[in-house]
Amino acid sequence: MVYGLILFFLAVACSEKPLPPLAIQVIPARLASDARGPQYADWDTVRFSGGTRTKAATYLVAPEPLFTEWNIIAFKTASQNDSSYVVAARLNAHAKRIMQDFSADPSRLKDPLGLKIGDRWVNFLPLLSPFRDRIQLYGFTAAEVELLQHDLDNR
């Protein structure tokens, strides 16, 4: 009897499909019309169709992100009028240092940062002020918020 219960619980536990990890990248970007010079030669071109906070445009995005989902150590959410969510993310010390160095140059504060969730470009918004310890990331779906929480809980 006991062995049967153990086998039953093992079968149930093993039959659950693991949730796929959520890939989040925050990447420096420039409007294609403003990106002149050899420093942009290895940047990728993104044709963004627009969203609730960003107009449609063509951007160049850096080859490496400033931070990813692995740098998010905690977050809070708030729902938006368009049924999306904003994630107020707290970053680990490494990403915090990178973002503080990035935002220390005032010329970068108005440059857009591309937010990519999975394969979807969500928006291109500027930082506007020097980074402290949290960043607001706009445009998450309810399912993406759930996956992010699951990822944080199971690291």
Side-chain angles (χ1 to χ4, degrees):
M1 176 77 170
V2 173
Y3 293 116
L5 285 174
I6 291 172
L7 288 174
F8 172 75
F9 286 119
L10 279 174
V12 169
C14 294
S15 68
E16 291 183 26
K17 287 184 180 178
L19 293 173
L22 183 65
I24 300 170
Q25 296 179 327
V26 174
I27 306 170
R30 296 283 294 194
L31 280 169
S33 58
D34 296 339
R36 295 184 185 95
Q39 67 268 31
Y40 300 108
D42 61 341
W43 287 35
D44 294 325
T45 302
V46 173
R47 287 173 181 71
F48 184 64
S49 60
T52 56
R53 294 183 172 271
T54 310
K55 294 189 298 187
T58 300
Y59 292 91
L60 293 183
V61 294
E64 295 295 323
L66 291 168
F67 68 88
T68 69
E69 72 280 359
W70 286 102
N71 301 112
I72 298 173
I73 58 174
F75 72 94
K76 292 185 178 187
T77 61
S79 61
Q80 302 292 289
N81 292 337
D82 63 353
S83 75
S84 70
Y85 289 83
V86 59
V87 168
R90 189 163 48 107
L91 304 180
N92 63 17
H94 175 71
K96 182 178 175 181
R97 191 170 38 257
I98 289 171
M99 291 302 294
Q100 287 172 337
D101 291 346
F102 179 83
S103 66
D105 180 353
S107 68
R108 291 180 171 169
L109 295 178
K110 292 185 180 179
D111 290 343
L113 295 176
L115 173 60
K116 187 176 182 183
I117 302 174
D119 293 331
R120 179 174 71 99
W121 287 99
V122 178
N123 61 49
F124 289 85
L125 297 172
L127 201 51
L128 296 179
S129 61
F131 181 82
R132 291 208 166 86
D133 68 342
R134 288 175 176 75
I135 187 167
Q136 281 71 37
L137 304 172
Y138 293 89
F140 281 75
T141 65
E144 291 165 343
V145 168
E146 183 180 323
L147 278 175
L148 180 58
Q149 186 62 58
H150 179 267
D151 288 351
L152 284 177
D153 292 343
N154 293 292
R155 282 190 188 163

